[in-house]
Amino acid sequence: MTFFNTLRTAFNGIFSNLLRAGLTTLGIVIGVASVITMLALGNGARAAVDANFRYLGSDVVQIGVKEKIDQGEFVPVGQILSYEDGLEMPRQVALVDQVIMSIAGEGKVRHGRNVVDMPLLGATADALLTLIARQEVQPVEWELSKRPLPADFLAQGRFFTPAEVIAGADVCVLGHKTARDLFGGDNPLDELVWVNRRRCIVIGVLTELEVTNPALRNRTRPNESFYLPISTAIANLFDRPPSVVVTARVSDEARMGEARQQIIAYLRQRHGVEKDATGVYADDFELTTRQDILGAQQEAARTFAFLLAAMATVSLVVGGIGIMNVMLVSVTERTREIGVRLAVGATQRDIVGQFLLESVLISAGGGLLGAAVGVLSIPLAAGLNRGVALLSPQSIPLALGVALLTGLLFGLYPALRASRLDPIEALRYE
Amino acid sequence: MTTLINIHQLTKTYQMGDSTVHALRGVSFTVASGEFVALMGPSGSGKSTLMHLLGCLDTPTNGRYELAGQDVGRLSRRARARVRNEQIGFVFQTFNLLPRLSALANVMLPLQYRGRLAGSVVGKTAVSALEQVGLADRMHHKPTELSGGQRQRVAIARALVTDPALILADEPTGNLDSQTGQEIMALLQQLHQNGRTILLVTHDADVAAQTQRVLRMHDGAVISNQ
Ligand SMILES: Nc1ncnc2c1ncn2[C@@H]1O[C@H](COP(=O)(O)OP(=O)(O)OP(=O)(O)O)[C@@H](O)[C@H]1O
Ligand SMILES: [Mg+2]
């Protein structure tokens, strides 16, 4: 029999009991849909990690305070990582030539009658460079290929200088929407705003920004921001000196390990960290490099892949058994038809082909349906996960291939059974 | 006249647990090409068993079967499928049409299993087979939309379509009223006149009378041949 005729025969077989075939595919649909959705979640998580740590160049070490939870609050395990710790670092650590520091706080900002309660950012003078390096946001309608300069992020005025950071000057830079919220349509430049109980002069306004990754756009508000020199922020927003996040740039990328050791030695000495009873240093800070993140991410990806494979296997086996079951019923119901086909000259191979194709078509239908369901449920899954899900393009052919394979595998036994029927008994079957 | 069927000491036994059923106990006869032969005998005498062996649906326990000079008694399953497809046309008492296919599609079926035949050739051949049985105007009807006699005509067209050497009909009029049965017999007569070799099982003496020769069976053996 030609393939086309076999195909038509198989289609006829399916359409003669479409509802049953449809219900049979449910397992495959769920299996394929979950494979696609889970892959999308994994892919999205990976993309988010990538985006979050893209700025972490291979030549930087990020240093933060080590914290523990005490009575429901995060508290440092030892000393805080202070602004001064960071400030001294380029001078004291041979391989570190520059540090960027930042601190996040909250406060009330007031101008005239307008008051906004918002996160405030203490930063060093190169905060805009960090923003560019992260590539999380860009000026609206920015040409993707072009790399923005710090000046491209400023709509008005300027950013604060290193001198203003050192001095703790009372200056600030506003995000686009924050400026509008505080000043309406008026020009904010050189105007005074109150941050908690201290005044500061607006020296710059950022241009309108958008999140680079369209999938993330509705989750963050890039235009609600308020930048202060980090020293000003520490003095103004906190009762006690807070911990800062220090990003140290290493002058020689090839000597990252060495630089790491130097930083550790520097901080241990500054914080007076001693060995504990077991002979291990009880460090009160944590170092992160891109290498660390990649390693952790790969570890997570492996775990995820394992879970995914387990789930896919279970649902596809269930789906496959469903197909096998329905095909066995179909073979029994169509015993007489098989007898007729054998009588007019069908070979065993013809019969195997017909029933195998039928189960493969059922599973392919289930696979296609599952792919559609999977793709459509990605936003839903992302919502439930409060995270990101990004369709991974390879997941569709992968899932379809697995579905086809399932149909082939579980259709084989019923098809072989059909082909082994004795023609005389099949013809006599009632 | 050339010999089409030559069987010699054909036996068929079925093992039913401890007991052995001797369905055929050494049957020998020949049928010449172009003959119209009836096979009669009481129920259980082995007529259908013999037809199955002649139609290569089964293999004999012992004995020899030559069809058109070829020893077909010991062929593989695959080779028997090929003989069935190319040399044999079956007509059954219960028609055995595929209910979901149109008359035309049913008639096309044997040709589709023949392998590399162009679709247009298959279609044309099937239509002309339906014309021969006088059903060209019903070719798009499903079996359920046809009368019993019409269904049997479709089945005959399906048996004819491959231009087989031998047509085997196991009680083709058994499920039809005598009037319709007579029409089917007339059709078979006509095929015979066109040179077809037909072997037909019947319980009906009037039907048997319309053939050239009657083989009578009893308890797995041929008891008369005239
Ligand atoms: N598959 C089988 N297994 C066991 N015994 C069988 C089998 N097929 C046929 N027989 C036996 O062989 C004998 C001949 O059966 P067969 O069907 O050939 O008779 P028949 O002449 O066609 O009868 P009828 O006129 O009722 O159709 C019977 O005794 C039957 O029970
Ligand atoms: Mg019989």
Side-chain angles (χ1 to χ4, degrees):
Chain A
M1 215 179 203
T2 60
F3 180 73
F4 177 72
N5 279 326
T6 313
L7 196 67
R8 196 157 56 183
T9 305
F11 263 119
N12 276 332
I14 291 169
F15 280 103
S16 69
N17 209 330
L18 195 57
L19 179 67
R20 191 168 71 189
L23 289 174
T24 307
T25 60
L26 221 58
I28 301 277
V29 170
I30 293 170
V32 167
S34 58
V35 167
I36 288 179
T37 313
M38 305 268 291
L39 277 176
L41 282 175
N43 194 34
R46 198 171 311 125
V49 170
D50 282 351
N52 280 337
F53 291 98
R54 183 138 15 127
Y55 74 96
L56 205 60
S58 48
D59 63 342
V60 302
V61 181
Q62 186 173 295
I63 307 141
V65 69
K66 190 184 258 175
E67 290 178 321
K68 62 181 177 194
I69 296 177
D70 187 13
Q71 292 172 350
E73 303 267 349
F74 278 110
V75 295
V77 301
Q79 293 189 26
I80 60 156
L81 184 65
S82 69
Y83 172 62
E84 289 75 22
D85 287 341
L87 210 58
E88 284 293 307
M89 201 175 287
R91 247 168 292 164
Q92 304 286 333
V93 181
L95 278 168
V96 171
D97 61 2
Q98 192 200 357
V99 297
I100 299 171
M101 286 187 278
S102 66
I103 185 165
E106 250 181 63
K108 267 190 177 36
V109 181
R110 186 166 64 81
H111 172 77
R113 286 196 185 161
N114 299 330
V115 183
V116 285
D117 227 330
M118 62 179 300
L120 307 174
L121 207 70
T124 41
D126 27 30
L128 287 182
L129 280 174
T130 314
L131 213 57
I132 292 168
R134 283 186 188 220
Q135 296 178 19
E136 280 173 349
V137 293
Q138 63 191 14
V140 287
E141 282 161 32
W142 188 257
E143 239 180 275
L144 273 178
S145 53
K146 238 168 72 184
R147 201 174 162 79
L149 295 169
D152 296 318
F153 276 72
L154 282 164
Q156 277 180 293
R158 59 179 181 85
F159 208 76
F160 34 82
T161 63
E164 283 167 331
V165 173
I166 302 283
D170 287 316
V171 292
C172 59
V173 176
L174 309 185
H176 187 263
K177 178 160 187 299
T178 304
R180 278 241 311 281
D181 289 346
L182 288 172
F183 290 91
D186 301 342
N187 184 0
L189 221 54
D190 297 327
E191 294 288 331
L192 280 177
V193 293
W194 288 89
V195 181
N196 288 353
R197 301 211 184 299
R198 214 158 135 176
R199 297 183 310 178
C200 71
I201 299 171
V202 178
I203 59 166
V205 176
L206 296 187
T207 186
E208 190 175 355
L209 301 176
E210 65 183 8
V211 176
T212 315
N213 182 348
L216 294 170
R217 275 195 189 148
N218 47 8
R219 297 198 309 129
T220 44
R221 305 197 195 103
N223 291 304
E224 291 174 34
S225 58
F226 193 100
Y227 289 88
L228 293 162
I230 184 165
S231 44
T232 315
I234 288 169
N236 190 4
L237 307 178
F238 297 90
D239 302 334
R240 280 170 290 140
S243 285
V244 297
V245 176
V246 178
T247 306
R249 212 177 68 207
V250 174
S251 53
D252 185 352
E253 201 182 312
R255 294 164 72 188
M256 285 296 283
E258 212 178 316
R260 212 186 151 103
Q261 286 315 312
Q262 288 183 3
I263 293 168
I264 291 172
Y266 161 74
L267 287 171
R268 277 177 186 164
Q269 188 246 319
R270 262 185 89 91
H271 290 188
V273 176
E274 302 279 340
K275 283 184 184 168
D276 65 11
T278 56
V280 181
Y281 281 100
D283 287 336
D284 53 8
F285 52 87
E286 282 173 330
L287 271 57
T288 312
T289 61
R290 164 174 262 188
Q291 209 50 48
D292 300 333
I293 290 165
L294 285 179
Q297 188 191 319
Q298 273 159 10
E299 182 66 28
R302 255 195 299 279
T303 313
F304 194 76
F306 178 77
L307 279 175
L308 179 72
M311 167 147 186
T313 310
V314 169
S315 48
L316 287 169
V317 163
V318 170
I321 289 172
I323 288 188
M324 183 151 93
N325 188 40
V326 92
M327 289 310 293
L328 283 172
V329 171
S330 174
V331 167
T332 307
E333 278 179 358
R334 287 151 72 187
T335 299
R336 219 179 153 98
E337 171 189 330
I338 295 164
V340 172
R341 290 180 183 274
L342 289 169
V344 302
T347 59
Q348 286 181 292
R349 198 185 297 180
D350 288 325
I351 302 295
V352 170
Q354 175 190 335
F355 282 92
L356 207 52
L357 199 60
E358 197 171 313
S359 60
V360 167
L361 284 177
I362 290 177
S363 68
L368 283 174
L369 205 64
V373 170
V375 169
L376 290 177
S377 61
I378 284 175
L380 192 79
L384 290 178
N385 198 38
R386 285 207 304 112
V388 223
L390 261 184
L391 174 66
S392 123
Q394 316 92 295
S395 70
I396 292 178
L398 179 85
L400 285 181
V402 171
L404 286 184
L405 210 65
T406 307
L408 204 66
L409 219 62
F410 287 88
L412 198 60
Y413 173 66
L416 285 176
R417 227 168 105 139
S419 78
R420 285 182 189 149
L421 285 175
D422 177 61
I424 298 165
E425 272 166 26
L427 280 168
R428 216 183 270 145
Y429 187 85
E430 291 300 328
Chain B
M1 280 259 177
T2 56
T3 305
L4 180 65
I5 298 175
N6 183 3
I7 56 175
H8 183 70
Q9 285 302 315
L10 218 53
T11 66
K12 182 72 190 178
T13 56
Y14 294 105
Q15 204 62 44
M16 300 287 287
D18 289 340
S19 66
T20 308
V21 179
H22 294 272
L24 293 178
R25 302 170 184 268
V27 176
S28 307
F29 62 79
T30 60
V31 173
S33 192
E35 261 195 294
F36 191 5
V37 180
L39 195 56
M40 294 192 78
S43 189
S45 57
K47 306 178 297 293
S48 292
T49 305
L50 180 59
M51 292 293 262
H52 293 150
L53 291 183
L54 294 176
C56 284
L57 283 168
D58 206 352
T59 49
T61 310
N62 258 309
R64 210 178 59 245
Y65 171 24
E66 278 177 19
L67 179 66
Q70 184 197 2
D71 188 349
V72 294
R74 299 270 172 272
L75 293 178
S76 68
R77 236 190 118 143
R78 191 177 168 74
R80 276 187 282 130
R82 201 185 161 110
V83 172
R84 288 199 294 273
N85 184 248
E86 293 178 353
Q87 318 229 42
I88 315 273
F90 286 100
V91 180
F92 303 94
Q93 179 176 355
T94 52
F95 322 131
N96 277 333
L97 299 175
L98 300 190
R100 282 192 300 274
L101 300 186
S102 68
L104 181 63
N106 265 292
V107 175
M108 286 181 354
L109 206 58
L111 292 176
Q112 286 171 342
Y113 283 115
R114 181 154 288 192
R116 312 257 147 250
L117 274 183
S120 60
V121 175
V122 171
K124 267 187 208 141
T125 317
V127 169
S128 90
L130 279 167
E131 277 165 358
Q132 282 186 63
V133 300
L135 268 186
D137 55 334
R138 296 291 163 89
M139 63 186 182
H140 295 303
H141 290 223
K142 296 266 166 70
T144 47
E145 299 157 1
L146 299 171
S147 72
Q150 287 170 330
R151 289 184 208 181
Q152 196 59 300
R153 282 168 191 271
V154 174
I156 291 170
R158 181 179 65 189
L160 280 177
V161 76
T162 56
D163 189 19
L166 175 63
I167 288 179
L168 296 172
D170 197 343
E171 302 189 44
T173 60
N175 269 23
L176 303 173
D177 61 61
S178 58
Q179 166 73 34
T180 317
Q182 196 40 57
E183 286 169 24
I184 293 297
M185 278 312 291
L187 177 60
L188 291 176
Q189 276 291 353
Q190 186 196 322
L191 295 177
H192 163 56
Q193 259 133 45
N194 294 343
R196 300 256 164 226
T197 313
I198 303 170
L199 196 61
L200 142 101
V201 171
T202 184
H203 286 287
D204 186 337
D206 292 341
V207 167
Q210 298 174 52
T211 63
Q212 292 175 302
R213 179 154 66 107
V214 180
L215 289 163
R216 284 182 198 280
M217 291 188 71
H218 187 82
D219 194 18
V222 174
I223 52 166
S224 87
N225 181 353
Q226 51 201 230

